[in-house]
Amino acid sequence: FDTSPQAVRLYLLYNHWFMQMLVYVFIIINLALALFEDPAVVPLPIWATSTIEIICLSAFTVRMVHYAKVIPRDKFWKDPKNICIIVIVTLSFIDLTIYGALKATGYFAIRWSRVLRPLLLVNVTEGRQLRRAFRSIRNALPQISYVFFLFMFSVLVFSLMALKLFGKRGLLTIDGSPYFTNYLDIVFDLYVLVTTANSPDVMMPAYNYSVFFTVFFILYIVINTYTFMSFFLAVVYNNYKKYLKEEVRQLVKARRFKMCRAFSLLQETRGEGGEPVVTQAKWNHLVKLVKPNISIAHRELLWSVLDDQNKGHIGKIAFVQLADLLSIQVITVKSQPHPIQICFPSVYNSSVSRFIRYMVRTRVFVYVYDLIILVNAVFIGLDEENPVVSNAEWGFLALYMLEIILKLYATEPRAFFARHHFWNWFDTIIIVSALFGTIINSALKHCYTSRQILDIVFILRVVRLIRLVDSIKRFRAIINTLIKIGPTILTFGQLIVVVYYIFAMVGMELFKGKVQFFEPNSTSPDQEYCGNPLLKGTTFAKLNYCKNNFNNVVSSFIVLLELTVVNQCGFTAVTHVSARIFFVLFHIVVVIIIINIFVAFILEAFLVEYTFDKSDLQTSLEKKIE
Amino acid sequence: FDTSPQAVRLYLLYNHWFMQMLVYVFIIINLALALFEDPAVVPLPIWATSTIEIICLSAFTVRMVHYAKVIPRDKFWKDPKNICIIVIVTLSFIDLTIYGALKATGYFAIRWSRVLRPLLLVNVTEGRQLRRAFRSIRNALPQISYVFFLFMFSVLVFSLMALKLFGKRGLLTIDGSPYFTNYLDIVFDLYVLVTTANSPDVMMPAYNYSVFFTVFFILYIVINTYTFMSFFLAVVYNNYKKYLKEEVRQLVKARRFKMCRAFSLLQETRGEGGEPVVTQAKWNHLVKLVKPNISIAHRELLWSVLDDQNKGHIGKIAFVQLADLLSIQVITVKSQPHPIQICFPSVYNSSVSRFIRYMVRTRVFVYVYDLIILVNAVFIGLDEENPVVSNAEWGFLALYMLEIILKLYATEPRAFFARHHFWNWFDTIIIVSALFGTIINSALKHCYTSRQILDIVFILRVVRLIRLVDSIKRFRAIINTLIKIGPTILTFGQLIVVVYYIFAMVGMELFKGKVQFFEPNSTSPDQEYCGNPLLKGTTFAKLNYCKNNFNNVVSSFIVLLELTVVNQCGFTAVTHVSARIFFVLFHIVVVIIIINIFVAFILEAFLVEYTFDKSDLQTSLEKKIE
């Protein structure tokens, strides 16, 4: 590393939160371009989208050049994520040029580089968590593939058996086509049975013929749907656990190594042959630099934990613990006097005021408000056009406001709105928004009824009910687990977005315009079969699934979500049979791998939460505080 | 315990394998009665089924009395399983009497005690594993219920929101009924959405109205379908692991206690103040009694492991290990000469014969036969009415027979058919049966074609392909895990049978005769709507689900299996709406609890298999053998 002031300034600029945010803004703009490019939700001319894309790509290039200046050259070229970004940006430029040229001359062109866009999210320096998730998948792949090949072997053998058992019997499916006569069709049908999407349907013709054939399907479901799918979960879970441990170990190792280097820079030797130590003054300076917004009392507390014999200096072992210590959250409860107490001490300390403050803190107060919420729930369920019900809403709002005001009266406002008081924030935001919403709604009522505002008011009213959960201790524990794993779920959300985006881009190129959605009041005769004669008489058209199409990026994402839940593939009817590969691939990637990782993640979070022990440092910190 | 010879004889008789088998035979007969009782698969008159049931119940009573004689009185009455059996048998007798009386006088009667029958399976002395499974469920119930209540709270809140958002918009479902206007209907629909059975359908009207409403469903699916269902799995898995550890610890404790008692009976004191020991003679006698079919060499080996200093006697600690030692499987490989070698030594030892034996043992031989199996798979897929294909079958059979004969020539027959050589047994049985089947089939071909025999021959041919798995090492590991967990899966199967039987009995009383199945060639106009006017125009009738009914115990079981895979509830249309309770209850019990236990079980088996270490005893045994 170059340690000249200029290089350090460049480095600090690179890691400035504003620069990092800017990168994400450009990535989001780049991804959002899919909304405006053909097939678009809101069509924009090619020159507009191209210009925006060029700006985005230039921004990434600048960022990359900046990074190359910050980091030693050999390290820069060794890092695969930099190579990835350079390749993606170059390919995007090439694709953009070709596409522009072909479109200008009137030829058919595909924007294939759009598939690469979400990969930027993975490869930017800030995408550590996401890269970790992808690495975890890559490490699990060999094991998953063994189970997958065995699973496919089982499906193929069962399909062969189905062909032999049912093929010659002349059975018909519900839409009159021959049942189980083509080997590849059988393989596909049985694969879909694993996803349970066609569960009783695929069995019915055989079942109607003879009860004994159900044995075949029962065996198939037990072996493939249940046992193999559990195997996939087991493999993913096992790898997830193993890999998580490995990652944590490496992180701790890297951190310790860096702390040792920091120590060797700051150390000074005490006396003759004494061990190298770091003095309190240097340490204080360091902590001030690293965490500027830490209070002096907090810093003193941390020092006293490390230097428990009050020697005024610490050794290497104690110094290395600094990073762990700084990561422990210390909630400073300041018992400041209430503002009203300062202004009107006589009023605030009167017996009536004391009684109110006492009442607000009792369990009875909580129970009364739980009861009010329950009654409110019933009122929400009633018809809001009844004047009694709509007026009662004002009463409930008043009661909730009263609760907040009473609590604010009993507790010091800054303590009430402390960062870790999730439910106080939740309450206040919901109630105040609901109040504004209701006022705006009733103000507008005399002119016209705005459904949008009313919808928001309804949602706020119902969300209020969630507060009930907080009163029950067992529920609170589960909710706290959910809140704690929230940030990691965000990483998971990014993972899903990356995979969905890639599949959406490919799906849009394959299926755009194949299925048309007609507004409910349209009178077009094509409405019956979603504008595609191939869909005439299919269940897809009959169930009015026309809006499940790949005509723009939003509906593609919704279709992919539906496919994640239940893999029904009406699209194979409108294109070639080989389109099934797209759906099977999606099932393998999303359901078998990603959803299982999600389940493994929740499983591990839950199990860890149940067997959580405080670390040594945390206990010694707590001891000091006492 | 009474230790008189008579009591011991009674005890041995009680635990005789024949008596235990007899109990299971009676339980199976008792359970199978559902096939013949109204609503029956094969109707039998009431007097016949009643007589059989009385015989079964008497058998259980005799067994109970026998057990009461064997076990001390206070222990007998303290054991809940005995009380259960007595109550079940008594209630069954009472029900039988009431039913007989009511039927004789022509009144309506319900055989409600049939629900209790499967509980006998749980409560007989031999049903230890099953009781353990039920205990494990009972222990997990409190935790599951917390998550379940929170989950139901979430469903109720979402339903309320759905009512407010969609109720007033005048949307219509695909069959023209109003969409999301009744709160209880919404709750049910959203509950079913958790099972993914009505996945895109329930969303489509809202989606067609506006894209933004999908946010509601996406949130719902992420929170309830994915997160809460993972929570259920986590809770079940956590409890399963905890409980499994506890059970194993108690088992080990009980065994050690019993071994200590046995030691104190057999011990003798060596010298003055010496420790009590057991001599080799006594030990030999004991092992001979406990395991009569163990070889002398094996017994000597075990002794030498325990008495590693060759003192001729062992102390308490070594003695207690006996049970563990006996459970270690020792495969005795006897290198006996081949029978042909004994009869015709010159032929067997000739260079040609030696070359054949060498060839059979090479990897090439295995690969050649793997190739043959692959080619065979292609031939199976081809049309068997083509004479080339049907004649090729004879060729393949000959090749397979040749393989077995060659292997038998190279290996000593008794070693070839050793108990642990699973695949040799598998091969031989499959090939010989296929040979017989094919011969019978071609013999009968000249008179008439029997589909049943042909089906069996086809199945045998396809099953043969499974052998391919054994050639690939990675696959073999997975298959071995499957084979190892086989016995425990049997316990799981019993659990499923118990739960399915209870639900089938209740379902039959609720829904019998509501849905009729008509043979495909029937001309009845009722066929269109499964014989029930209420089903006119429903998807249930359109998809020809008529055979999915509760009209007899076999079809009930099949419907319940379908409900396990995908919970679609057409039955609510033919009875009261409250019948939904039956389906929701089934989903909670089977999918949320039992299937999750199955997944937890596979998960644990897989993880244990991957982190399996040999015990100390096993390693010391292996050291001795070397």
Side-chain angles (χ1 to χ4, degrees), chain A residues 65-131:
Chain A
V65 170
H66 189 168
Y67 190 57
K69 294 252 178 206
V70 165
I71 266 230
R73 179 149 302 187
D74 57 324
K75 268 203 177 170
F76 180 82
W77 290 108
K78 259 187 205 157
D79 198 341
K81 65 173 186 283
N82 300 327
I83 315 277
C84 271
I85 292 184
I86 291 168
V87 169
I88 291 166
V89 170
T90 319
L91 284 179
S92 298
F93 269 122
I94 294 171
D95 181 36
L96 207 57
T97 324
I98 296 174
Y99 184 77
L102 281 173
K103 274 284 161 185
T105 52
Y107 282 102
F108 171 77
I110 289 179
R111 283 285 279 118
W112 47 264
S113 73
R114 301 203 295 173
V115 170
L116 303 173
R117 278 181 198 162
L119 297 180
L120 283 171
L121 205 57
V122 186
N123 287 306
V124 289
T125 330
E126 292 76 23
R128 264 174 221 103
Q129 297 288 341
L130 197 53
R131 272 201 300 281

Side-chain angles (χ1 to χ4, degrees), chain B residues 21-36 52 56 60 117 120-121 497 501:
Chain B
M21 215 187 62
L22 212 63
V23 170
Y24 273 101
V25 168
F26 275 116
I27 288 176
I28 290 166
I29 290 174
N30 195 23
L31 288 177
L33 274 178
L35 290 168
F36 309 106
I52 298 171
C56 289
F60 300 138
R117 279 181 196 162
L120 283 170
L121 204 58
V497 166
Y501 200 92

